[in-house]
Structure formats: structure tokens, C-alpha cells
Amino acid sequence: MSYRIAIAAALVLAAVSAPRVAAATPGRVVSINLCADTLLLELLPPSHIRSVSFLAADPAYSTVAARVGDIPLNHSRVEEVARYHPDLVLASNLSSDVTVTALRRLGYRVAIVRAPDTLADVYAIIRSTAALLGVPAKGERLLTSIRRALAQAASPADGRRPLAVFYGANGYSVGSGTLQDDLLHAAGFRNLAVQLGIHGGGRMSIERLIAARPDVVILDDFESHKPSLAERRLRQPALREGLAAAREVKIAPKYWMCANADIGAAVHKLAALR
Amino acid sequence: MTVRLAAWRWVLLPAAVLVLLVVDLASGPVHLDPAHAVAQALRAHPDLQGLILREIRLPRALLAAFVGAALGGAGAAMQGLLRNPLAGPGLVGVTNCAALGAVITFYFGLAGLGWYVLPAGGMAGAALSVLLIFFLAGREASVLGLILAGVAINAVAGAFIAMALNFAPSPYALSEIVYWLMGSVADRTLADVAVATPFIVVGLTLLLAARRYLDALSLGEETAATMGFAAARERAWVIAGVALSVGAAVSVSGNIAFVGLIVPHLLRPWVHSEPGRLVGISIPGGAALVLAADIAVQWVPAQHELQLGVVTALVGGPFFLALVWRMRREVT
């Protein structure tokens, strides 16, 4: 973890200390990953963006779908990217290695916008990407707004820290070492998944969940109209009755998937539940 | 001694099923006080312990028992009908075809039309595959012919399951392929029990009704005919029974592998290889095996609970290998 932060910091230093000319804003950026899409749309005007991934235009996944407008969409394929003759391609550490390698071999400049694992990651990713795009001041403004949202959230009047849990399709919960855990703490909650020893993401049985009597349950509000076993499981009568005393809220996971302005909104939404 | 044992085996297995049912109800991450939990579970508005017992553990244990019974009974009946000890519903593709039927009705919104649609999909798939096996391999199926037909049907059904889930409008489709191919009874509801069990009970009743025909059939088809059995009708009963029980079971639990193969094999010596009685004893036998496997997955400490079908496959795979090893002279 810390070495990744160190690398991110080194990238930032390199970008900051580079001569002004190198930091010039690229004019034909193509992004092939949702997290890169959303940050790109926040940092650069549409005139600099040639294409974003199709998920960026889907309001189920993207909070900036309205900003996509008539920017062409891609499905993260090498040929689609080549069509736009980009001067910068944004991909993710979760993008296919084959795609990224192929793009680099074809001579394109590919930058990785990582999916954040912690709050510190979020800051580092926003800062380095803003520098890469030649708009460091805009990145700092974004960071300031996130910090402000965190500062507002982190002042529990009575010092009480209610017990909260993320509970998604398939009984999936999120424990220590994750961005969501950082956000829960920032918003003044204890995380049930951490108490049950879940590191990263993991399954939590309905039995354990209702036996722990959490105060707040945050359910995925995710494509709930499409049939799947995963969603069906959330309709267990035991879940409904066992959590009758808890506050149940649905927040779409799109708010805490990526390093962008949504992080501030996410903490704000969480703090409002306390 | 053997006579006494012969009488006892009909009590022994059902008793084992009851014990395992209770152990399965008592297994789980939360400690329950038995008397308190049972008293609470009978109330209209139970407390936490009653709720866990009634709405989480009871459907799970009941489904493990019924699904196991269906797979065990259907396996024994198929082995009798095809006169072939390798004719388990999994190996010859019946369970995968049932899963395919369930997948199609489930992911394309048809299952919302009524409670009966999901098991109907499973049963239609199972029926289709039994008919296919029958026509592909023939009634006097050689081991090789049967296995080849099974490989083909399994491959096609597996491909269609993967394709159906590819097109399914579900964000979880990929992870759920695993569930349909490697079953589970975790986190089911009493509604699932109510949907599946009537069909399983009717299907197993049909199979039991055909037990005398299966006994006669072991002496050869002509002998069975001279004994007054109408072959076409009896066969249709067995096929319908397998389709109903396996189709309904798979539509709520996915494909719990190898149960229909192992159980009749282990129990065959108990009934002196009489196919009709084998069906009868494989019903509690299957229930006991799946319950035991479900208890095992809950006792294995792991952050991600082991899938039930993985456990039965881990036991069944080597078992199948040993079986093939013993039969290798017949196969080649």
C-alpha cells in the first residue's frame, strides 16, 4: 500500500517539477475506463476529449453522464482508440493488460488512472491526473472541495459512532483496507464488516448480519430491476424482519468507485444517516 | 444377522436423515439456544434466534434434504432404466439441461410471471435431456455410448448456459454461472421450498411406482414384457419422474454434482442390486449425503463459504475416477 502511495507521490513530484511546456494540456484525449472518464470530464472541457467509455454515459454507473453530451463513446478496444489519433489515452489498473500493452506498442501515450483503495489514494490520483492533463490548479480546487465535505462530515455533535454496514447483492460487504471503509470512518461510523474481520471485500451471511444488529445498512441501489440471484437474495424475509430496527438506505455504488468529486458527495450522504 | 441388517437399513437411513437435519439446523455462524429458538420460531413475530432458525436455517436444511432425495432417487431410477451404473443425472447431462431451462426462465424475466415458471423451466430442460439420452444412446446403452452422449449433452447445455448468461441483462451474470454449474442451498427462502418440494414429491412417487418394472427390466426387456409390463408406459413414468424431481431440484439449488451417481453406487450392495429397492433406499441416501455436505461447508472455516456443489464434486470426482478404473475393462 505505502509503496503505491510513494509511487503516486513520485509521479506527482515529477509532474509538478516538470517544465511548464511538458505540462501543456493535451488536446485529443481518449479515455477507456469509467474512473478515468469521470475524472477527465471534471477536469477538461469537452473540446479536449475525443472519446470516453460507454459506461460514462450510463447514469446507472456514472454521475457525470449528463456531461458526456455528444462525445463519442468507446468499448475499450484498441481499434476504436486508434480511430481518434489521441495524444493521450487514459486507462485504469483494472483495464485489460493486453489492451494497454497493445496501445503502447502502437506508440500511444497511455496513462493509468488507478481505482482508489483508500482516501489517500483518491487525493494522489486526482493530483497526478490533474498534473498530467496540465490543469493542476483545477485538481487542487477539486481536492479542496472534497476536504471541505470531509471536514463538515467529521464533527459528530455527541461523539457517538453508530454501527454501519455495506450490504450488497450476493451478501457482499466491504471491510478494512477499502475506500468505502475510509469513507464510513470519515462520516463518523463504525464498520460492522471490520468488526467481523472482513478485509477487502467479502461475503457476510444474512445470519451474521442480523445478529449484529447494525444501526444503518447501506444497500446497493444497483440495477435492481434486472433479474439476478444476487438481487433475489436481498429479498429474504429474514433480512427484512431482522433489520426492522435498522435504518436501511440505498446508495448507488457509483459514488465510491472512483477518485473524483463524488467522494465528497458520498461522505455527505453517509454523514446525513448518522 | 444379514436378515436383521436387511430390516434395519430401512430405518437406519431415514433416522440418519433426521439426525443430519437437526445438525444442519444447529450449524451456522450464530450460536442458538435450541429450546428458545424453537419456541420463538413457532411465533408469528419471532425474535432474532427464532427468525434465524425459521427463515434462514430451516429452508436451507429442508432444501438440502429434498434436493438430495430427488438426485439420489432419480440417479437410481436412471441407472435402472438404462441398465447402466454410470447413468447419474449429472454425468449424462440432465442436471445441466435442467439448469439451462431454469437460467432461461430466470434471467429473461419469465420467472416473474408465476411461481411455477422457474421449476417448469427446469423440468422442461430435464425432460428434454432424458429423451435425448434415450434416443442418442438407446435403451441398451453401452457404457461408452452413454458417456459419449452425456459428454455431448453436457457440452451443449454448458455452452448454452454460458451464452444465455452472456445475453442476460444481469450485472452479476458471470458470477452466477458458477452457481448454476456448482449448486448451493445457502440463503434460500421458505418460498423456494414451497415451489420445489411438491414437484420433487410427485416425481419421486412416480419413480417408486415404477420400481417393479425396474426390477423386471434387470432381467431383460423381453422378460419384463412377458411379465405383463407395458414398456412404453412404464418408461414414460420413469422419464417424467426424473424430469419432475431433478428439474424442480435444480431450479432452486443449481447443479449439485455427483449425488445421483455416488448414492446408488454406495447403496447397491445393501439391496442386493435390486433396481426397484435401490430407488427406494437412494431417496433417504441422497438426502443424507447432501445434508452432510451442507453441514461440512458450514464447518469449514473460510471467509467465503464453500459452495455445496464444490464439496460434492470434490468427493464425487475421485469416486467417479475409481469407478472408471474398476470398469476399465468393460469400457475399452
Side-chain angles (χ1 to χ4, degrees):
Chain A
M1 184 57 69
S2 59
Y3 82 92
R4 279 157 74 177
I5 296 173
I7 290 173
L11 278 174
V12 174
L13 280 176
V16 170
S17 57
R20 279 263 168 263
V21 194
T25 302
R28 300 188 308 277
V29 185
V30 170
S31 162
I32 61 168
N33 171 269
L34 177 63
C35 282
D37 296 336
T38 53
L39 191 51
L40 177 63
L41 285 163
E42 270 166 27
L43 291 174
L44 283 189
S47 56
H48 289 258
I49 305 172
R50 283 289 177 272
S51 174
V52 291
S53 86
F54 71 104
L55 288 175
D58 185 342
Y61 298 90
S62 160
T63 51
V64 289
R67 285 200 214 172
V68 173
D70 49 11
I71 298 174
L73 304 178
N74 68 67
H75 289 77
S76 319
R77 284 193 285 263
V78 176
E79 284 186 35
E80 292 176 300
V81 173
R83 196 193 300 158
Y84 300 106
H85 306 290
D87 55 0
L88 175 66
V89 180
L90 295 184
S92 159
N93 56 327
L94 304 176
S95 297
S96 145
D97 271 347
V98 179
T99 307
V100 172
T101 312
L103 285 169
R104 286 200 168 127
R105 217 170 32 225
L106 289 171
Y108 296 108
R109 184 172 159 232
V110 182
I112 301 296
V113 178
R114 284 187 302 115
D117 289 328
T118 61
L119 212 44
D121 276 0
V122 170
Y123 296 138
I125 293 165
I126 291 178
R127 202 170 273 143
S128 63
T129 309
L132 188 75
L133 295 174
V135 285
K138 238 177 166 173
E140 287 307 320
R141 275 206 295 281
L142 192 52
L143 290 180
T144 310
S145 74
I146 293 176
R147 282 209 191 90
R148 199 177 302 133
L150 284 169
Q152 279 173 1
S155 50
D158 50 1
R160 208 173 61 89
R161 292 175 77 81
L163 188 62
V165 62
F166 287 99
Y167 205 67
N170 275 326
Y172 196 77
S173 191
V174 187
S176 54
T178 64
L179 176 57
Q180 275 155 280
D181 184 48
D182 277 3
L183 294 180
L184 264 191
H185 281 273
F189 288 98
R190 288 171 297 141
N191 185 354
L192 170 60
V194 173
Q195 294 188 353
L196 293 180
I198 295 179
H199 182 77
R203 281 211 184 149
M204 186 188 297
S205 67
I206 293 175
E207 206 171 305
R208 268 187 201 285
L209 171 67
I210 63 177
R213 302 182 187 279
D215 301 300
V216 174
V217 181
I218 305 150
L219 297 168
D220 280 1
D221 181 18
F222 191 46
E223 308 250 323
S224 48
H225 53 288
K226 310 250 167 93
S228 69
L229 290 170
E231 297 281 349
R232 200 170 140 106
R233 225 148 272 177
L234 293 181
R235 275 179 261 141
Q236 256 272 4
L239 197 55
R240 228 179 24 239
E241 289 174 40
L243 295 177
R247 281 185 71 186
E248 258 181 54
V249 285
K250 289 188 169 179
I251 303 180
K254 63 183 173 185
Y255 288 102
W256 37 66
M257 283 192 300
C258 300
N260 58 30
D262 297 337
I263 297 300
V267 171
H268 189 73
K269 275 172 191 279
L270 290 174
L273 302 171
R274 205 167 48 208
Chain B
M1 182 65 205
T2 46
V3 180
R4 291 245 303 278
L5 189 72
W8 270 104
R9 72 200 162 195
W10 297 102
V11 185
L12 211 65
L13 265 180
V17 170
L18 284 180
V19 171
L20 288 167
L21 200 64
V22 172
V23 175
D24 201 13
L25 285 174
S27 309
V30 175
H31 176 75
L32 300 185
D33 170 27
H36 176 80
V38 170
Q40 283 288 330
L42 297 172
R43 295 193 183 176
H45 298 286
D47 70 354
L48 188 72
Q49 295 210 3
L51 195 65
I52 288 175
L53 182 63
R54 188 177 77 194
E55 300 291 341
I56 298 177
R57 296 196 185 171
L58 185 63
R60 175 176 191 151
L62 284 179
L63 272 186
F66 275 105
V67 168
L71 294 173
M78 288 186 69
Q79 296 184 4
L81 181 71
L82 296 165
R83 276 182 276 161
N84 193 316
L86 287 185
L91 275 185
V92 300
V94 179
T95 40
N96 269 355
C97 283
L100 173 62
V103 162
I104 290 172
T105 54
F106 188 76
Y107 289 92
F108 296 93
L110 303 174
L113 299 177
W115 60 269
Y116 50 84
V117 176
L118 182 64
M123 289 183 280
L128 189 73
S129 64
V130 182
L131 290 174
L132 260 176
I133 286 288
F134 212 74
F135 289 115
L136 266 177
R139 316 174 197 141
E140 288 289 339
S142 71
V143 174
L144 201 60
L146 186 77
I147 293 303
L148 284 179
V151 168
I153 291 175
N154 262 328
V156 173
F160 276 110
I161 289 174
M163 189 185 74
L165 281 166
N166 259 224
F167 287 131
S170 161
Y172 307 103
L174 217 57
S175 66
E176 288 179 10
I177 290 178
V178 177
Y179 163 82
W180 288 107
L181 296 177
M182 287 274 171
S184 162
V185 289
D187 293 345
R188 311 282 94 188
T189 64
L190 284 173
D192 292 314
V193 180
V195 163
T197 43
F199 295 107
I200 293 177
V201 169
V202 173
L204 290 177
T205 310
L206 287 179
L207 295 180
L208 285 174
R211 68 187 187 281
R212 292 192 200 294
Y213 170 67
L214 293 176
D215 282 336
L217 194 61
S218 66
L219 305 172
E221 230 159 287
E222 285 93 44
T223 320
T226 55
M227 286 167 76
F229 287 103
R233 203 187 57 211
E234 298 283 348
R235 239 184 271 132
W237 284 134
V238 176
I239 290 174
V242 169
L244 282 172
S245 51
V246 175
V250 171
S251 68
V252 292
S253 72
N255 179 358
I256 297 171
F258 288 112
V259 176
L261 178 79
I262 304 176
V263 170
H265 253 282
L266 292 180
L267 297 180
R268 189 164 284 123
W270 280 34
V271 293
H272 310 295
S273 304
E274 289 172 44
R277 290 179 143 196
L278 186 59
V279 174
I281 198 120
S282 291
I283 291 172
L289 180 69
V290 175
L291 277 169
D294 192 49
I295 293 166
V297 298
Q298 299 189 74
W299 284 6
V300 172
Q303 202 185 72
H304 297 263
E305 188 181 284
L306 213 52
Q307 198 96 342
L308 179 57
V310 177
V311 173
T312 58
L314 279 176
V315 178
F319 185 90
F320 179 46
L321 271 179
L323 206 61
V324 171
W325 179 256
R326 269 211 322 242
M327 291 179 67
R328 67 194 185 283
R329 242 167 292 141
E330 200 186 325
V331 174
T332 47

